[in-house]
Amino acid sequence: FLIDYIITIHHSYVNESGPMLKDLSEKVAAHHGAQYPHLVTVHEKIKKLMCELTTHMKKEEQIVFPYIKALENPETLSVHGFNSVKDPISLMECEHEMAGEILEEIRTLTNDYSLPANACNSIRLLMHKLEEFENDLHIHIHLENNILFPKALKAGDANKN
């Protein structure tokens, strides 16, 4: 259930919001980058983040999540090619940390999503959407790192006995 929830709610949110954030940040950087150079760097960080998240979510949806679901039916585990769920989970957690670091860099660059003096509606929208995106990603990562993955590790250990 939790895997389906994460895909339906959080992965869908990233897939819908990511391209909009990338396009909006590109527009803002092109129009306001000379006056606010940090917005050009923010755009580069958003592009990097979206690239990382797109690849990450594909790995989860095509490899890690099916393996975790297979833990409920141990006879099917061998078709997934892992000896343990620990390695793919460690990789996912590492990638979560990298995404968190990029978001922290964006938060620092924008001074906690503060608006520059005389900010236009596009900059206002970008800051609002970035903060919204960060909040959703924190919940998303929390569900995986603190609920799903520990349960998967426990199930994986139970299947060894």
mmCIF file with all atom_site columns, all heavy atoms in Angstrom, residues 45-60:
data_model
loop_
_atom_site.group_PDB
_atom_site.id
_atom_site.type_symbol
_atom_site.label_atom_id
_atom_site.label_alt_id
_atom_site.label_comp_id
_atom_site.label_asym_id
_atom_site.label_entity_id
_atom_site.label_seq_id
_atom_site.pdbx_PDB_ins_code
_atom_site.Cartn_x
_atom_site.Cartn_y
_atom_site.Cartn_z
_atom_site.occupancy
_atom_site.B_iso_or_equiv
_atom_site.pdbx_formal_charge
_atom_site.auth_seq_id
_atom_site.auth_comp_id
_atom_site.auth_asym_id
_atom_site.auth_atom_id
_atom_site.pdbx_PDB_model_num
ATOM 1   N N   . LYS A 1 45 ? 20.654 24.273 -10.590 1.00 0.00 ? 45 LYS A N   1
ATOM 2   C CA  . LYS A 1 45 ? 20.431 23.299 -9.507  1.00 0.00 ? 45 LYS A CA  1
ATOM 3   C C   . LYS A 1 45 ? 19.102 22.564 -9.709  1.00 0.00 ? 45 LYS A C   1
ATOM 4   O O   . LYS A 1 45 ? 19.023 21.358 -9.459  1.00 0.00 ? 45 LYS A O   1
ATOM 5   C CB  . LYS A 1 45 ? 20.434 23.990 -8.138  1.00 0.00 ? 45 LYS A CB  1
ATOM 6   C CG  . LYS A 1 45 ? 21.717 24.687 -7.781  1.00 0.00 ? 45 LYS A CG  1
ATOM 7   C CD  . LYS A 1 45 ? 22.766 23.733 -7.326  1.00 0.00 ? 45 LYS A CD  1
ATOM 8   C CE  . LYS A 1 45 ? 24.033 24.479 -6.945  1.00 0.00 ? 45 LYS A CE  1
ATOM 9   N NZ  . LYS A 1 45 ? 25.131 23.557 -6.715  1.00 0.00 ? 45 LYS A NZ  1
ATOM 10  N N   . ILE A 1 46 ? 18.080 23.273 -10.162 1.00 0.00 ? 46 ILE A N   1
ATOM 11  C CA  . ILE A 1 46 ? 16.785 22.639 -10.408 1.00 0.00 ? 46 ILE A CA  1
ATOM 12  C C   . ILE A 1 46 ? 16.913 21.620 -11.535 1.00 0.00 ? 46 ILE A C   1
ATOM 13  O O   . ILE A 1 46 ? 16.382 20.504 -11.426 1.00 0.00 ? 46 ILE A O   1
ATOM 14  C CB  . ILE A 1 46 ? 15.705 23.700 -10.730 1.00 0.00 ? 46 ILE A CB  1
ATOM 15  C CG1 . ILE A 1 46 ? 15.395 24.511 -9.471  1.00 0.00 ? 46 ILE A CG1 1
ATOM 16  C CG2 . ILE A 1 46 ? 14.439 23.054 -11.288 1.00 0.00 ? 46 ILE A CG2 1
ATOM 17  C CD1 . ILE A 1 46 ? 14.523 25.727 -9.708  1.00 0.00 ? 46 ILE A CD1 1
ATOM 18  N N   . LYS A 1 47 ? 17.617 21.967 -12.592 1.00 0.00 ? 47 LYS A N   1
ATOM 19  C CA  . LYS A 1 47 ? 17.824 21.010 -13.690 1.00 0.00 ? 47 LYS A CA  1
ATOM 20  C C   . LYS A 1 47 ? 18.534 19.758 -13.175 1.00 0.00 ? 47 LYS A C   1
ATOM 21  O O   . LYS A 1 47 ? 18.131 18.636 -13.503 1.00 0.00 ? 47 LYS A O   1
ATOM 22  C CB  . LYS A 1 47 ? 18.649 21.644 -14.821 1.00 0.00 ? 47 LYS A CB  1
ATOM 23  C CG  . LYS A 1 47 ? 17.890 22.627 -15.649 1.00 0.00 ? 47 LYS A CG  1
ATOM 24  C CD  . LYS A 1 47 ? 18.589 23.058 -16.932 1.00 0.00 ? 47 LYS A CD  1
ATOM 25  C CE  . LYS A 1 47 ? 20.065 23.192 -16.881 1.00 0.00 ? 47 LYS A CE  1
ATOM 26  N NZ  . LYS A 1 47 ? 20.672 23.748 -18.094 1.00 0.00 ? 47 LYS A NZ  1
ATOM 27  N N   . LYS A 1 48 ? 19.565 19.950 -12.375 1.00 0.00 ? 48 LYS A N   1
ATOM 28  C CA  . LYS A 1 48 ? 20.307 18.816 -11.817 1.00 0.00 ? 48 LYS A CA  1
ATOM 29  C C   . LYS A 1 48 ? 19.404 17.966 -10.921 1.00 0.00 ? 48 LYS A C   1
ATOM 30  O O   . LYS A 1 48 ? 19.391 16.734 -11.021 1.00 0.00 ? 48 LYS A O   1
ATOM 31  C CB  . LYS A 1 48 ? 21.523 19.323 -11.034 1.00 0.00 ? 48 LYS A CB  1
ATOM 32  C CG  . LYS A 1 48 ? 22.364 18.225 -10.426 1.00 0.00 ? 48 LYS A CG  1
ATOM 33  C CD  . LYS A 1 48 ? 23.562 18.798 -9.680  1.00 0.00 ? 48 LYS A CD  1
ATOM 34  C CE  . LYS A 1 48 ? 24.379 17.684 -9.049  1.00 0.00 ? 48 LYS A CE  1
ATOM 35  N NZ  . LYS A 1 48 ? 25.487 18.188 -8.250  1.00 0.00 ? 48 LYS A NZ  1
ATOM 36  N N   . LEU A 1 49 ? 18.637 18.622 -10.065 1.00 0.00 ? 49 LEU A N   1
ATOM 37  C CA  . LEU A 1 49 ? 17.732 17.917 -9.149  1.00 0.00 ? 49 LEU A CA  1
ATOM 38  C C   . LEU A 1 49 ? 16.706 17.094 -9.922  1.00 0.00 ? 49 LEU A C   1
ATOM 39  O O   . LEU A 1 49 ? 16.475 15.926 -9.603  1.00 0.00 ? 49 LEU A O   1
ATOM 40  C CB  . LEU A 1 49 ? 17.025 18.916 -8.222  1.00 0.00 ? 49 LEU A CB  1
ATOM 41  C CG  . LEU A 1 49 ? 16.016 18.319 -7.249  1.00 0.00 ? 49 LEU A CG  1
ATOM 42  C CD1 . LEU A 1 49 ? 16.696 17.378 -6.258  1.00 0.00 ? 49 LEU A CD1 1
ATOM 43  C CD2 . LEU A 1 49 ? 15.277 19.436 -6.511  1.00 0.00 ? 49 LEU A CD2 1
ATOM 44  N N   . MET A 1 50 ? 16.113 17.685 -10.938 1.00 0.00 ? 50 MET A N   1
ATOM 45  C CA  . MET A 1 50 ? 15.087 16.974 -11.701 1.00 0.00 ? 50 MET A CA  1
ATOM 46  C C   . MET A 1 50 ? 15.678 15.785 -12.452 1.00 0.00 ? 50 MET A C   1
ATOM 47  O O   . MET A 1 50 ? 15.041 14.727 -12.545 1.00 0.00 ? 50 MET A O   1
ATOM 48  C CB  . MET A 1 50 ? 14.370 17.911 -12.672 1.00 0.00 ? 50 MET A CB  1
ATOM 49  C CG  . MET A 1 50 ? 13.552 18.972 -11.990 1.00 0.00 ? 50 MET A CG  1
ATOM 50  S SD  . MET A 1 50 ? 12.528 18.325 -10.659 1.00 0.00 ? 50 MET A SD  1
ATOM 51  C CE  . MET A 1 50 ? 12.518 19.706 -9.564  1.00 0.00 ? 50 MET A CE  1
ATOM 52  N N   . CYS A 1 51 ? 16.870 15.943 -12.961 1.00 0.00 ? 51 CYS A N   1
ATOM 53  C CA  . CYS A 1 51 ? 17.546 14.830 -13.631 1.00 0.00 ? 51 CYS A CA  1
ATOM 54  C C   . CYS A 1 51 ? 17.790 13.698 -12.638 1.00 0.00 ? 51 CYS A C   1
ATOM 55  O O   . CYS A 1 51 ? 17.510 12.526 -12.927 1.00 0.00 ? 51 CYS A O   1
ATOM 56  C CB  . CYS A 1 51 ? 18.849 15.319 -14.251 1.00 0.00 ? 51 CYS A CB  1
ATOM 57  S SG  . CYS A 1 51 ? 19.735 14.047 -15.158 1.00 0.00 ? 51 CYS A SG  1
ATOM 58  N N   . GLU A 1 52 ? 18.299 14.039 -11.469 1.00 0.00 ? 52 GLU A N   1
ATOM 59  C CA  . GLU A 1 52 ? 18.560 13.046 -10.419 1.00 0.00 ? 52 GLU A CA  1
ATOM 60  C C   . GLU A 1 52 ? 17.270 12.341 -9.992  1.00 0.00 ? 52 GLU A C   1
ATOM 61  O O   . GLU A 1 52 ? 17.230 11.115 -9.880  1.00 0.00 ? 52 GLU A O   1
ATOM 62  C CB  . GLU A 1 52 ? 19.201 13.706 -9.192  1.00 0.00 ? 52 GLU A CB  1
ATOM 63  C CG  . GLU A 1 52 ? 20.555 14.327 -9.417  1.00 0.00 ? 52 GLU A CG  1
ATOM 64  C CD  . GLU A 1 52 ? 21.682 13.318 -9.470  1.00 0.00 ? 52 GLU A CD  1
ATOM 65  O OE1 . GLU A 1 52 ? 21.518 12.209 -8.929  1.00 0.00 ? 52 GLU A OE1 1
ATOM 66  O OE2 . GLU A 1 52 ? 22.711 13.647 -10.070 1.00 0.00 ? 52 GLU A OE2 1
ATOM 67  N N   . LEU A 1 53 ? 16.219 13.120 -9.765  1.00 0.00 ? 53 LEU A N   1
ATOM 68  C CA  . LEU A 1 53 ? 14.971 12.537 -9.277  1.00 0.00 ? 53 LEU A CA  1
ATOM 69  C C   . LEU A 1 53 ? 14.301 11.653 -10.325 1.00 0.00 ? 53 LEU A C   1
ATOM 70  O O   . LEU A 1 53 ? 13.738 10.607 -9.987  1.00 0.00 ? 53 LEU A O   1
ATOM 71  C CB  . LEU A 1 53 ? 13.998 13.643 -8.826  1.00 0.00 ? 53 LEU A CB  1
ATOM 72  C CG  . LEU A 1 53 ? 14.369 14.358 -7.533  1.00 0.00 ? 53 LEU A CG  1
ATOM 73  C CD1 . LEU A 1 53 ? 13.396 15.497 -7.255  1.00 0.00 ? 53 LEU A CD1 1
ATOM 74  C CD2 . LEU A 1 53 ? 14.417 13.391 -6.361  1.00 0.00 ? 53 LEU A CD2 1
ATOM 75  N N   . THR A 1 54 ? 14.370 12.051 -11.577 1.00 0.00 ? 54 THR A N   1
ATOM 76  C CA  . THR A 1 54 ? 13.764 11.249 -12.635 1.00 0.00 ? 54 THR A CA  1
ATOM 77  C C   . THR A 1 54 ? 14.416 9.878  -12.703 1.00 0.00 ? 54 THR A C   1
ATOM 78  O O   . THR A 1 54 ? 13.732 8.849  -12.739 1.00 0.00 ? 54 THR A O   1
ATOM 79  C CB  . THR A 1 54 ? 13.886 11.976 -13.995 1.00 0.00 ? 54 THR A CB  1
ATOM 80  O OG1 . THR A 1 54 ? 13.209 13.231 -13.896 1.00 0.00 ? 54 THR A OG1 1
ATOM 81  C CG2 . THR A 1 54 ? 13.271 11.169 -15.112 1.00 0.00 ? 54 THR A CG2 1
ATOM 82  N N   . THR A 1 55 ? 15.735 9.847  -12.689 1.00 0.00 ? 55 THR A N   1
ATOM 83  C CA  . THR A 1 55 ? 16.466 8.576  -12.718 1.00 0.00 ? 55 THR A CA  1
ATOM 84  C C   . THR A 1 55 ? 16.190 7.772  -11.448 1.00 0.00 ? 55 THR A C   1
ATOM 85  O O   . THR A 1 55 ? 15.950 6.561  -11.505 1.00 0.00 ? 55 THR A O   1
ATOM 86  C CB  . THR A 1 55 ? 17.978 8.842  -12.862 1.00 0.00 ? 55 THR A CB  1
ATOM 87  O OG1 . THR A 1 55 ? 18.192 9.620  -14.031 1.00 0.00 ? 55 THR A OG1 1
ATOM 88  C CG2 . THR A 1 55 ? 18.772 7.553  -12.934 1.00 0.00 ? 55 THR A CG2 1
ATOM 89  N N   . HIS A 1 56 ? 16.210 8.444  -10.327 1.00 0.00 ? 56 HIS A N   1
ATOM 90  C CA  . HIS A 1 56 ? 15.990 7.799  -9.030  1.00 0.00 ? 56 HIS A CA  1
ATOM 91  C C   . HIS A 1 56 ? 14.612 7.131  -8.976  1.00 0.00 ? 56 HIS A C   1
ATOM 92  O O   . HIS A 1 56 ? 14.492 5.968  -8.565  1.00 0.00 ? 56 HIS A O   1
ATOM 93  C CB  . HIS A 1 56 ? 16.130 8.850  -7.920  1.00 0.00 ? 56 HIS A CB  1
ATOM 94  C CG  . HIS A 1 56 ? 15.772 8.353  -6.566  1.00 0.00 ? 56 HIS A CG  1
ATOM 95  N ND1 . HIS A 1 56 ? 16.646 7.637  -5.791  1.00 0.00 ? 56 HIS A ND1 1
ATOM 96  C CD2 . HIS A 1 56 ? 14.625 8.464  -5.856  1.00 0.00 ? 56 HIS A CD2 1
ATOM 97  C CE1 . HIS A 1 56 ? 16.052 7.329  -4.645  1.00 0.00 ? 56 HIS A CE1 1
ATOM 98  N NE2 . HIS A 1 56 ? 14.823 7.814  -4.665  1.00 0.00 ? 56 HIS A NE2 1
ATOM 99  N N   . MET A 1 57 ? 13.589 7.852  -9.378  1.00 0.00 ? 57 MET A N   1
ATOM 100 C CA  . MET A 1 57 ? 12.233 7.309  -9.294  1.00 0.00 ? 57 MET A CA  1
ATOM 101 C C   . MET A 1 57 ? 12.037 6.130  -10.249 1.00 0.00 ? 57 MET A C   1
ATOM 102 O O   . MET A 1 57 ? 11.319 5.187  -9.920  1.00 0.00 ? 57 MET A O   1
ATOM 103 C CB  . MET A 1 57 ? 11.196 8.406  -9.549  1.00 0.00 ? 57 MET A CB  1
ATOM 104 C CG  . MET A 1 57 ? 11.153 9.440  -8.431  1.00 0.00 ? 57 MET A CG  1
ATOM 105 S SD  . MET A 1 57 ? 9.820  10.660 -8.553  1.00 0.00 ? 57 MET A SD  1
ATOM 106 C CE  . MET A 1 57 ? 9.918  11.190 -10.239 1.00 0.00 ? 57 MET A CE  1
ATOM 107 N N   . LYS A 1 58 ? 12.695 6.168  -11.399 1.00 0.00 ? 58 LYS A N   1
ATOM 108 C CA  . LYS A 1 58 ? 12.621 5.018  -12.313 1.00 0.00 ? 58 LYS A CA  1
ATOM 109 C C   . LYS A 1 58 ? 13.229 3.785  -11.662 1.00 0.00 ? 58 LYS A C   1
ATOM 110 O O   . LYS A 1 58 ? 12.681 2.689  -11.763 1.00 0.00 ? 58 LYS A O   1
ATOM 111 C CB  . LYS A 1 58 ? 13.345 5.333  -13.629 1.00 0.00 ? 58 LYS A CB  1
ATOM 112 C CG  . LYS A 1 58 ? 12.546 6.183  -14.572 1.00 0.00 ? 58 LYS A CG  1
ATOM 113 C CD  . LYS A 1 58 ? 13.298 6.426  -15.859 1.00 0.00 ? 58 LYS A CD  1
ATOM 114 C CE  . LYS A 1 58 ? 12.517 7.388  -16.732 1.00 0.00 ? 58 LYS A CE  1
ATOM 115 N NZ  . LYS A 1 58 ? 13.284 7.826  -17.892 1.00 0.00 ? 58 LYS A NZ  1
ATOM 116 N N   . LYS A 1 59 ? 14.369 3.958  -10.992 1.00 0.00 ? 59 LYS A N   1
ATOM 117 C CA  . LYS A 1 59 ? 14.998 2.827  -10.293 1.00 0.00 ? 59 LYS A CA  1
ATOM 118 C C   . LYS A 1 59 ? 14.066 2.276  -9.222  1.00 0.00 ? 59 LYS A C   1
ATOM 119 O O   . LYS A 1 59 ? 13.931 1.066  -9.065  1.00 0.00 ? 59 LYS A O   1
ATOM 120 C CB  . LYS A 1 59 ? 16.330 3.246  -9.669  1.00 0.00 ? 59 LYS A CB  1
ATOM 121 C CG  . LYS A 1 59 ? 17.465 3.409  -10.650 1.00 0.00 ? 59 LYS A CG  1
ATOM 122 C CD  . LYS A 1 59 ? 18.764 3.624  -9.910  1.00 0.00 ? 59 LYS A CD  1
ATOM 123 C CE  . LYS A 1 59 ? 19.221 5.038  -10.126 1.00 0.00 ? 59 LYS A CE  1
ATOM 124 N NZ  . LYS A 1 59 ? 20.502 5.320  -9.478  1.00 0.00 ? 59 LYS A NZ  1
ATOM 125 N N   . GLU A 1 60 ? 13.436 3.189  -8.484  1.00 0.00 ? 60 GLU A N   1
ATOM 126 C CA  . GLU A 1 60 ? 12.512 2.733  -7.441  1.00 0.00 ? 60 GLU A CA  1
ATOM 127 C C   . GLU A 1 60 ? 11.343 1.965  -8.051  1.00 0.00 ? 60 GLU A C   1
ATOM 128 O O   . GLU A 1 60 ? 11.010 0.872  -7.595  1.00 0.00 ? 60 GLU A O   1
ATOM 129 C CB  . GLU A 1 60 ? 11.981 3.933  -6.641  1.00 0.00 ? 60 GLU A CB  1
ATOM 130 C CG  . GLU A 1 60 ? 12.983 4.500  -5.678  1.00 0.00 ? 60 GLU A CG  1
ATOM 131 C CD  . GLU A 1 60 ? 12.451 5.640  -4.853  1.00 0.00 ? 60 GLU A CD  1
ATOM 132 O OE1 . GLU A 1 60 ? 11.474 6.313  -5.261  1.00 0.00 ? 60 GLU A OE1 1
ATOM 133 O OE2 . GLU A 1 60 ? 13.030 5.886  -3.779  1.00 0.00 ? 60 GLU A OE2 1
#
